[in-house]
Amino acid sequence: MSKKLTAQQIEQQAQKLGIQVTALRAVIEVECKGSGFNADGTPVILYERHIFHRRLQAINWITKSKEWTKQHPDLCNPLSGNYGKYSEQHAKLERAAKLNRDVALESCSWGIGQVMGFHWQVLGYDSIQAFVNAMYESEAKQLDAMCRYIEKNNLIQHLKNKDWAKFARGYNGVAYAKNQYDKKLAAAYKKWGGK
């Protein structure tokens, strides 16, 4: 079975959400530049050190989060940024997993939709490992996670209305404008033939 997403799978998910295929294609393009996997077959991820720090604090590993901020500032830090190259992301994840595996997996955005691992429970997965296994399985499973996220966060209407700013804010957070997610979505939608 191919790991690559098919046009039919995109159409099925768009139909399930009740949105235009072109709108869903726009989100896929903007979120992950069109591929959910690296050349080596691993899912595309972005390791986020500030999420690792925040998630450690959420499980009351306060002392460890402070200690690791000093020892491993690229892995654990209250500040976002310092992401490094895409080619370095899995190595960062491996290092962080030696500190706390579940929190490390939760601290990455995964696959075609760049869905954060810590959403696994609200998206209906049995565990963080079940979520990660799905991300490794196929782009169709990655798209399913993305669509679950869109649905759970009440973003379907924004896609129907082509309200790219409201969608981008709900999907990417309040800093969406800094990265021009709304403008990128609008451009991608037009590119795919959306009107």
Side-chain angles (χ1 to χ4, degrees), residues 55-139:
R55 301 296 296 168
L56 286 172
Q57 297 215 329
I59 61 167
N60 288 320
W61 284 36
I62 313 287
T63 305
K64 285 287 184 196
S65 71
K66 289 177 182 173
E67 185 183 309
W68 290 338
T69 296
K70 288 178 186 154
Q71 293 172 353
H72 311 284
D74 63 325
L75 300 180
C76 183
N77 205 302
L79 303 173
S80 64
N82 192 30
Y83 296 108
K85 297 176 185 170
Y86 278 109
S87 58
E88 299 168 346
Q89 299 306 305
H90 278 275
K92 276 187 171 184
L93 172 58
E94 281 179 37
R95 288 175 49 224
K98 289 176 182 162
L99 303 175
N100 185 309
R101 187 173 186 279
D102 285 354
V103 172
L105 294 171
E106 290 179 343
S107 301
C108 295
S109 56
W110 290 86
I112 217 157
Q114 287 298 284
V115 174
M116 290 301 302
F118 67 81
H119 294 302
W120 65 267
Q121 198 165 16
V122 76
L123 298 181
Y125 295 91
D126 292 334
S127 63
I128 181 60
Q129 190 60 57
F131 171 82
V132 170
N133 290 349
M135 298 306 97
Y136 268 87
E137 195 173 319
S138 67
E139 287 181 349

Side-chain angles (χ1 to χ4, degrees), residues 30 172 175-184:
V30 171
N172 299 104
Y176 77 90
K178 185 176 79 173
N179 297 309
Q180 298 190 321
Y181 280 119
D182 54 334
K183 290 179 174 65
K184 289 175 184 173

Side-chain angles (χ1 to χ4, degrees), residues 3-4 35-39 41-44 135-139 142:
K3 287 186 168 192
K4 292 301 290 173
S35 179
F37 287 95
N38 297 306
T42 58
V44 170
M135 298 306 97
Y136 268 87
E137 195 173 319
S138 67
E139 287 181 349
Q142 294 174 4

